Amino acid sequence: MQDQPGVLLIADEWGPPSGVIAVHWHSVLTADLKVGWISALLVDPERRRNGVARLLLKAASQAARSAGCGELVLHAPIAPGDLRTFCLATGFVEGGEVFTRALRKRG
């Protein structure tokens, strides 16, 4: 993370952290705006299904949008499960092993 622009956000409650998200952004040839890549999204198993990941994603989206990103990308294995369900429920579009979520409204 030190060599690239981005953010590392930690969800903290009483005790140890509840979750973390790491997002870095850069320009790509196939997009007009920078792309934010989620390289880590982890939530304590005991804190899952309590909105921690949604809050982390919201904060990371705001940071990426402020940095000029047009979308977020998350690479995930093709398999049914909690991560796939979470991505689809939070506005990501599935494309193989990559989930993409627009950050700006298209007009």
Side-chain angles (χ1 to χ4, degrees):
M1 288 288 302
Q2 292 179 359
D3 296 341
Q4 305 174 44
V7 295
L8 177 68
L9 303 169
I10 299 172
D12 189 18
E13 292 182 282
W14 304 104
S18 302
V20 64
I21 190 168
V23 182
H24 59 277
W25 39 80
H26 60 272
S27 298
V28 296
L29 291 175
T30 57
D32 293 334
L33 300 172
K34 290 184 266 184
V35 175
W37 294 85
I38 299 173
S39 56
L41 175 57
L42 305 167
V43 176
D44 182 337
E46 293 180 15
R47 297 295 302 144
R48 290 184 183 159
R49 302 205 179 273
N50 287 306
V52 173
R54 283 183 184 267
L55 288 173
L56 287 168
L57 180 60
K58 181 178 180 180
S61 295
Q62 289 172 345
R65 195 177 299 110
S66 294
C69 295
E71 64 184 6
L72 282 179
V73 175
L74 174 68
H75 184 268
I78 299 175
D82 290 343
L83 179 58
R84 182 179 183 278
T85 302
F86 171 78
C87 287
L88 295 175
T90 54
F92 282 88
V93 175
E94 186 174 10
E97 292 187 358
V98 176
F99 290 86
T100 306
R101 178 180 179 204
L103 292 174
R104 300 181 186 277
K105 294 186 179 188
R106 300 179 191 251

